[in-house]
Amino acid sequence: METPVESTRERLLNVAEQRFGEGGYEGTSLRAITVAAAANIAAVNYHFGSKEALLRAAVARAMGPVNIERRRRLDQLEAKGQPTPEELIRAFIEPGLDLVLRRGERGAVVARFIGRIAFDPSQRIRDLYAAESDPIEARYLAALQAALPHAAPESVAFGYVNMLGLLALHQSQALSRAPGVEDAEDPGKLAENLIAFLVAAFDRGLRA
């Protein structure tokens, strides 16, 4: 059974996730969050310490399981030898899609929140998000560069950045409304289509 303290903390995180996703960090007041969460500024200070610390905790909650799963998969692949580009792309993409597509109604909230913070106009806020994701993302980039030894490192990095952007687009489920796109809500089919597209893009675009 949850304690009142745990309940208040979770309410603040849930509301922060929603409000930051809708209005961005600068466009969301701490008062708006506390009113919607039936809490007060003192509760934010007690549980997190500041508005920015609340944001950091919300990002960590959303991205933590994704980063753990990506790290687990990469460790497993590298323990067997040199992973292929397809294995690396799959190990990266599937946990990212699971972040939103297997969470029901909350998936859309998480997707909007992560997308807004990851591409926030403020470099400081983007850096806050990057601090949570960069360590494992840097490992994947290095692994892809090792798996594509004939491609220039900067070319692999270019492909990698575009992979992140395409994943973010699918996480937001924006393509579910595009003409001719079917079954976008099916996580398995979406993952396979996206992985196949990215594998082909890396193969064609980075071929020596």
Side-chain angles (χ1 to χ4, degrees):
M1 181 177 179
E2 285 190 330
T3 67
V5 170
E6 290 171 333
S7 177
T8 299
R9 187 178 193 278
E10 288 304 305
R11 286 202 313 274
L12 285 166
L13 285 170
N14 290 338
V15 172
E17 196 173 69
Q18 180 178 3
R19 294 302 177 92
F20 285 142
E22 292 171 350
Y25 180 77
E26 295 297 341
T28 302
S29 70
L30 199 52
R31 176 172 173 75
I33 292 173
T34 56
V35 169
N40 52 43
I41 300 297
V44 174
N45 292 333
Y46 175 77
H47 291 291
F48 306 102
S50 66
K51 177 184 173 183
E52 186 171 309
L54 171 60
L55 173 63
R56 184 176 289 108
V59 171
R61 185 180 71 160
M63 291 303 299
V66 179
N67 293 333
I68 289 171
E69 178 61 10
R70 283 174 172 166
R71 185 175 296 109
R72 183 192 71 78
R73 291 191 182 202
L74 184 55
D75 288 343
Q76 192 174 60
L77 287 173
E78 291 182 334
K80 298 177 181 178
Q82 175 62 60
T84 66
E86 180 174 355
E87 288 174 331
L88 291 167
I89 291 169
R90 180 176 297 278
F92 188 86
I93 291 295
E94 287 181 340
L97 289 178
D98 284 349
L99 170 68
V100 298
L101 294 180
R102 298 189 189 278
R103 293 193 181 187
E105 186 176 312
R106 183 169 171 259
V109 176
V110 175
R112 186 166 54 244
F113 168 63
I114 291 299
R116 189 68 179 258
I117 298 305
F119 298 100
D120 193 273
S122 167
Q123 182 65 48
R124 179 169 62 89
I125 300 304
R126 294 198 303 274
D127 287 346
L128 184 151
Y129 169 80
E132 187 66 29
S133 298
D134 273 1
I136 187 59
E137 289 188 2
R139 282 189 59 193
Y140 269 91
L141 174 57
L144 276 169
Q145 289 172 334
L148 296 161
H150 301 298
E154 59 270 23
S155 297
V156 180
F158 177 81
Y160 183 76
V161 168
N162 281 275
M163 179 174 73
L164 294 178
L166 190 55
L167 174 59
L169 179 62
H170 280 280
Q171 285 174 324
S172 71
Q173 302 183 51
L175 292 183
S176 65
R177 298 184 297 275
V181 176
E182 299 178 354
D183 298 328
E185 73 282 356
D186 179 349
K189 185 172 182 179
L190 176 56
E192 290 304 320
N193 288 342
L194 182 54
I195 290 165
F197 179 85
L198 288 167
V199 169
F202 270 93
D203 178 60
R204 291 172 182 266
L206 301 178
R207 187 178 299 167

